[in-house]
Amino acid sequence: MDAQQPRWLADDEMQTWLALARVLIRLPAALDDQLQRDAGISHFEYQVLVGLSGAPERTLRMSTLAVFANGSLSRLSHVVGRLEKAGWVRRTPDPTDGRYTLAILTDAGWDKIVATAPGHVEAVRALVFDPLTRAQQRQLGDIGRRIVRAVDPDGSHLDELST
């Protein structure tokens, strides 16, 4: 029996895929450049601070924060160490289960987010929203949600963020 042939991309699909692949490569780099230049932090560090800033009591388990920031626990631990040295985050054992470590955004960390967010949101607006019409913005949101559901059909990553 012949093995099933791959479903090759049609020319228009290939062009769409290449455009998306360029976005996936260039947009994170552009956002990282803006944050490094204006705030002295990486996009990953910013995501860690944002995750904590939106959490109840500005506190998350490191494992949950790793999911939010889309990084390994090892990478997160290294980054949180740098953020601790800056005084923006502190770590403590989880009082409900000592097997876990909590990351807590400090007041200085909150101040860093407040100072950094305006420049970051302006970069997001300039790079993502301004080039699109309102209808294209809505389509982009719909498309993004559909792709995320295909990548994570059971929504397990979202479930972890709500705990």
Side-chain angles (χ1 to χ4, degrees):
M1 186 185 296
D2 291 337
Q4 186 174 355
Q5 289 293 314
R7 296 184 317 142
W8 298 111
L9 299 177
D11 288 343
D12 62 331
E13 291 172 324
M14 178 60 82
Q15 292 309 309
T16 299
W17 166 245
L18 291 174
L20 177 59
R22 284 191 294 274
V23 168
L24 295 172
I25 292 167
R26 306 229 15 207
L27 181 59
L31 293 173
D32 198 61
D33 288 347
Q34 177 273 318
L35 286 164
Q36 288 285 357
R37 181 184 63 249
D38 296 347
I41 61 175
S42 70
H43 192 249
F44 187 80
E45 290 167 324
Y46 184 72
Q47 285 302 114
V48 169
L49 295 173
V50 166
L52 292 171
S53 72
E57 299 178 29
R58 300 183 193 161
T59 302
L60 286 173
R61 283 183 174 174
M62 290 283 287
S63 55
T64 302
L65 187 55
V67 170
F68 178 85
N70 195 33
S72 68
L73 274 173
S74 174
R75 179 180 184 199
L76 179 65
S77 183
H78 180 72
V79 165
V80 168
R82 285 198 313 264
L83 297 175
E84 277 184 307
K85 286 180 185 169
W88 300 329
V89 175
R90 67 181 177 86
R91 284 183 273 197
T92 188
D94 186 336
T96 63
D97 188 339
R99 296 175 296 170
Y100 295 98
T101 299
L102 298 177
I104 303 164
L105 185 69
T106 65
D107 289 342
W110 175 258
D111 292 344
K112 182 66 174 176
I113 284 288
V114 168
T116 303
H120 182 65
V121 80
E122 184 54 40
V124 168
R125 182 169 294 290
L127 297 171
V128 177
F129 291 96
D130 290 349
L132 304 176
T133 65
R134 294 294 250 171
Q136 290 170 326
Q137 292 171 16
R138 287 189 296 276
Q139 288 173 330
L140 181 61
D142 291 341
I143 290 165
R145 285 184 289 277
R146 284 176 178 255
I147 292 172
V148 166
R149 281 194 301 272
V151 171
D152 187 20
D154 65 356
S156 61
H157 286 88
L158 296 175
D159 292 343
E160 291 180 42
L161 295 178
S162 62
T163 57

